Amino acid sequence: MPYYRVVGEVPRKRHVQFRRPDGGLYAEELMGEEGFSSDSSLLYHRHAPTAIIKSEGLDDVAVAEGLAPNHPLQPRGYRTQDLPVGGDLVLGRQVLFGNQDVRMSFVASSGGPSELYRNSVGAEVVYVQTGRATFESTYGALEVGEGDYVVIPTGTIHRWVPKEGETVRALVIEASGHVRPPRRYLSQFGQFLEHAPYSERDLRAPAEPLQMEGGEVPVIVRTRGGLSRLTYLNHPFDVVGWDGCLYPYVFNIHDFEPIVKRTHAPPPVHQTFEGPNFVICSFCPRPLDFHEEAVPIPYNHHNVDSDEMMFYVGGDYSARKGSGIGVGSISLHPAGFTHGPQPGAVEAVIDAVKQGHDRSSELAVMIDTFRPLDLGPAARRCEDPEYAWTWARTAT
């Protein structure tokens, strides 16, 4: 994270005696990335965060059916709105795509709170498409809703509590490492620069500690070896204060400030986060390209080093008219395939601009990966089998 925060009670100096009202010592827990060489936070617990009394292995139902290569190679379209509703926001995840660097799942949860969960493989970014929930963690609680990216550092113990009566639909991005704002947006000291499309003011982070009582509390832990359930002697949500630069935070897609040019700008201007061998981009409503002879729509392009996944979450998709793409759809355009506007879309948009329609209303989350994406069981269940051939249709 780019800046330092203090929440709750902490002593004046680090690693000095800090005592409870009863005279006992609070237990320190350093959460740090890359050993002791990158961002960290220091948390103060009422009880030892190391005290576990049971461990058991769990089956990873979400990946039981496995991933398969995109073979034969073709662009693919999916309808997440056709996937079943059920489960919680952790164990209810339905795997769409994945590779060595990242896994993407869709979840539609109408159930109760998730179990406590810790992903020790990498950071997670959860994009909330619809619904509201409370995100609870050892750092505190955050209220989240439609359009929020929830960025969860590796190893954070947390759970999701949907609002009563609401279905939370979300895209879950699980990295094999850490997720951060793009380096080019930050100064050498970590402050957002003036050319960045968002700033520290746009981020929401926990403002006060979250403390819960309880004993023999189970926590699901994901490692590269699979899922385990550890039972803690005391509730992990017993932190009286913490400080540092590593913590969960929320950024809403509507706070992204689009960068525009006179002619069409490429996807890097939409980049929002970066992870190991992948990037996350936000396509937001913006003025269309304003050169008098501009073609205000994406040109045909072939990203020879990456697969492109686009999750369409709102607005109108003029460039994709006739392809079957709508809100809730996903397109996957792999390396090895040239993609672009649907037949007739270019002339239609040029004519629309002449008539005064000079703004784009599309809202989408894009993930570009630099290794091929394999297809998961949920993708196989909701695929549109006709999508690949839509560019060959005559415009109407």
Side-chain angles (χ1 to χ4, degrees), residues 6 13 30 71 109 113 127 130 151 194 244 274 281 329 348 358 384:
V6 183
K13 288 188 68 68
L30 183 74
H71 182 80
S109 174
Y127 177 82
T130 62
V151 183
E194 281 294 297
E274 64 182 15
C281 299
S329 295
D358 59 356
D384 174 1

Side-chain angles (χ1 to χ4, degrees), residues 188-224:
Q188 62 177 316
F189 304 110
Q191 182 180 6
F192 279 100
L193 297 169
E194 281 294 297
H195 67 265
Y198 59 99
S199 75
E200 290 86 352
R201 295 188 190 183
D202 298 316
L203 308 181
R204 310 196 313 269
E208 59 185 14
L210 174 65
Q211 297 186 38
M212 294 187 178
E213 299 291 340
E216 299 189 14
V217 179
V219 177
I220 295 174
V221 180
R222 177 179 297 284
T223 66
R224 285 175 171 80

